[in-house]
Amino acid sequence: YEIHWRDWSSDVCSSDLKRHRVLIWGDSHAQMLNSGLAKTLSSDWQLMQIASSGCAARVDHLEQTTSDYCAYSNRFALDTIEKVVPDVVIVAQSNGHNLASMNRVGAALEKLGVKSVVFLGPSPHWQDDLPKILVRRLWPNIPERTWVGVNREVFETNTKLKNKFSTTQGKTYVDVIDAFCNSDGCLTRLGDDAQRDATSWDYGHLTALASEYLAKQILVPQILKGVSSTSK
């Protein structure tokens, strides 16, 4: 497994922190947001990340341990959030989205002083690695959008989450699928070259180009909205 974090709680003094801070929390589908936000956020924002592959964000059953790396990662995330109090926390995961867990996470972060929590729904999922679908089923005339190879079950999950999620001033649901899919299908590429400009490098992790696209289209506007609404 991989654990990607930096010990912000120990090596960043409060005087070193930038004016605004956003922290990404979750599994590898949280990790994939970093490159896009790093390129898109203005320089007065500090981008932090605590994300461990295969570990969805949670706030329960986090006893101090070094043997359960998911519990360790999530405990570390909460401890760091308590110390640096980000303006915005973005929570993302591959699958297993659960409204009850989202509500618990949101309540815990609100208690720690976080003003805006952004929960991401699932990204478009493919039945196989997207590059394989492009070569084996759509080559050579690869369309910009397609329904070929799209995992429709994820759409059902996203719809249920979106319809039942209780949006508040400090808690927002972001429909990632809506950013990449419409009635014509889901984006396969964000340019003319399918090999260079593909939206995913496997079943559902966004490429760096797609991460930047999502940041520009939805995440950065939502981050700024969350800060402006809480500063009034």
Side-chain angles (χ1 to χ4, degrees), residues 6-88:
R6 178 180 175 185
D7 191 348
W8 292 97
S9 59
S10 64
D11 67 0
V12 176
C13 300
S14 58
S15 60
D16 296 327
L17 296 173
K18 293 184 179 180
R19 179 185 178 191
H20 295 299
R21 299 174 291 282
V22 57
L23 185 141
I24 305 168
W25 182 18
D27 61 14
S28 59
H29 279 241
Q31 295 169 13
M32 71 185 185
L33 308 175
N34 190 297
S35 61
L37 287 172
K39 287 186 177 181
T40 311
L41 279 170
S42 59
S43 59
D44 61 339
W45 277 87
Q46 187 158 24
L47 179 60
M48 298 177 282
Q49 172 184 302
I50 300 177
S52 303
S53 298
C55 298
R58 72 173 193 265
V59 296
D60 50 343
H61 306 297
L62 301 183
E63 295 78 9
Q64 294 289 350
T65 177
T66 56
S67 60
D68 183 338
Y69 83 100
C70 284
Y72 185 89
S73 176
N74 285 319
R75 178 74 265 168
F76 181 78
L78 287 171
D79 289 345
T80 301
I81 290 168
E82 183 177 13
K83 291 178 181 179
V84 304
V85 191
D87 298 274
V88 180

Side-chain angles (χ1 to χ4, degrees), residues 7-209:
D7 191 348
W8 292 97
S9 59
S10 64
D11 67 0
V12 176
C13 300
S14 58
S15 60
D16 296 327
L17 296 173
K18 293 184 179 180
R19 179 185 178 191
H20 295 299
R21 299 174 291 282
V22 57
L23 185 141
I24 305 168
W25 182 18
D27 61 14
S28 59
H29 279 241
Q31 295 169 13
M32 71 185 185
L33 308 175
N34 190 297
S35 61
L37 287 172
K39 287 186 177 181
T40 311
L41 279 170
S42 59
S43 59
D44 61 339
W45 277 87
Q46 187 158 24
L47 179 60
M48 298 177 282
Q49 172 184 302
I50 300 177
S52 303
S53 298
C55 298
R58 72 173 193 265
V59 296
D60 50 343
H61 306 297
L62 301 183
E63 295 78 9
Q64 294 289 350
T65 177
T66 56
S67 60
D68 183 338
Y69 83 100
C70 284
Y72 185 89
S73 176
N74 285 319
R75 178 74 265 168
F76 181 78
L78 287 171
D79 289 345
T80 301
I81 290 168
E82 183 177 13
K83 291 178 181 179
V84 304
V85 191
D87 298 274
V88 180
V89 173
I90 298 176
V91 181
Q93 63 192 76
S94 172
N95 49 36
H97 296 76
N98 182 285
L99 284 171
S101 178
M102 289 179 175
N103 289 332
R104 289 193 292 270
V105 169
L109 295 186
E110 181 181 9
K111 189 175 180 179
L112 292 176
V114 178
K115 301 300 183 183
S116 177
V117 184
V118 180
F119 291 94
L120 266 64
S123 64
H125 281 41
W126 303 86
Q127 295 168 350
D128 199 348
D129 294 346
L130 178 59
K132 294 179 181 178
I133 293 173
L134 299 183
V135 171
R136 295 174 181 175
R137 303 176 64 179
L138 296 171
W139 191 270
N141 299 313
I142 297 175
E144 183 180 39
R145 293 179 181 272
T146 188
W147 287 114
V148 174
V150 173
N151 184 340
R152 298 292 191 112
E153 292 182 4
V154 179
F155 281 69
E156 297 176 9
T157 298
N158 180 62
T159 299
K160 291 178 182 178
L161 288 168
K162 185 167 57 173
N163 290 342
K164 294 183 178 181
F165 188 89
S166 179
T167 299
T168 64
Q169 182 175 338
K171 189 178 67 173
T172 306
Y173 181 82
V174 167
D175 186 343
V176 179
I177 286 178
D178 189 56
F180 288 92
C181 307
N182 62 21
S183 59
D184 295 324
C186 297
L187 285 168
T188 62
R189 53 185 170 82
L190 291 166
D192 296 329
D193 188 330
Q195 182 176 2
R196 181 192 62 203
D197 304 326
T199 55
S200 178
W201 53 267
D202 64 355
Y203 74 91
H205 291 91
L206 301 179
T207 60
L209 183 64

